[in-house]
Amino acid sequence: MCKGISILRARLRQELYEEFELASRVVSRGGDPELHFMYTDRVVQLPVMHDGQMQIYEWGNRGNKESRLPRTGWCRIESLEAGKWRWLKPEKVMIPADFGLEKGVWFQITEGLDGVVVHDEQERPHVYMLTQQASHYYETMTKHDRMPLLVNQEI
């Protein structure tokens, strides 16, 4: 799968940076500053391109047992296509990212990842990362049999 993403700080609007207090997510690996969004973070969030605007939404539903939303951060494309998520009225979105992380391996992302946005009982948006069967290369690289759907990119 993909347990985290990195996005260049320069890609995020200052208003989002301040509104969501993203300073603690800034990391420098010797180049331009990046922001890391990990599923293991205390506050689980992802940047999302939704209706032509970059937003920050909660990543899936990690710990709210009272919610009707699936308790995960990922959605299998096969489940989405089979209609298993239809009752949630999912909207396809793009998760902008420059790098992804799985099992300690960072991989480059040229545009972003596909995801879906659904709303909880309070109409708050949540984003789920779409996954598919891993390519041979991705599975060899990460030792995981699922990978994110990359926008206009193959690994």
Side-chain angles (χ1 to χ4, degrees):
M1 284 196 284
C2 182
K3 301 276 179 154
I5 67 153
S6 176
I7 183 169
L8 292 175
R9 164 67 181 91
R11 293 180 68 183
L12 287 168
R13 294 187 332 259
Q14 185 64 26
E15 300 84 44
L16 282 178
Y17 186 78
E18 293 170 4
E19 178 183 348
F20 291 92
E21 300 175 354
L22 301 176
S24 65
R25 295 183 181 277
V26 176
V27 174
S28 179
R29 292 195 277 184
D32 294 332
E34 306 169 18
L35 278 76
H36 288 182
F37 294 87
M38 304 295 166
Y39 194 69
T40 54
D41 288 342
R42 187 178 56 78
V43 178
V44 188
Q45 300 170 317
L46 278 177
V48 175
M49 288 301 297
H50 191 198
D51 293 332
Q53 296 268 330
M54 189 175 302
Q55 305 289 338
I56 303 290
Y57 291 160
E58 186 172 335
W59 185 353
N61 175 23
R62 190 175 66 186
N64 184 356
K65 295 177 182 173
E66 305 299 319
S67 176
R68 65 184 175 128
L69 297 180
R71 275 183 253 143
T72 181
W74 300 268
C75 170
R76 290 175 173 251
I77 188 67
E78 300 89 343
S79 296
L80 185 70
E81 291 174 348
K84 294 180 179 177
W85 288 61
R86 187 176 309 132
W87 65 280
L88 291 167
K89 300 177 184 166
E91 297 175 64
K92 284 195 171 183
V93 293
M94 183 183 77
I95 301 165
D98 296 295
F99 295 93
L101 177 67
E102 177 59 40
K103 294 191 179 178
V105 177
W106 285 99
F107 54 95
Q108 190 164 18
I109 298 171
T110 55
E111 289 184 48
L113 311 169
D114 285 323
V116 291
V117 168
V118 299
H119 292 83
D120 64 17
E121 297 80 1
Q122 285 79 43
E123 294 301 317
R124 291 179 306 203
H126 295 250
V127 60
Y128 289 79
M129 191 181 292
L130 286 173
T131 67
Q132 63 184 351
Q133 182 69 38
S135 67
H136 176 73
Y137 181 78
Y138 188 90
E139 188 169 356
T140 301
M141 180 175 63
T142 66
K143 311 290 186 237
H144 204 292
D145 63 351
R146 302 288 301 175
M147 65 183 285
L149 269 75
L150 303 163
V151 176
N152 297 321
Q153 180 184 0
E154 292 183 23
I155 294 181

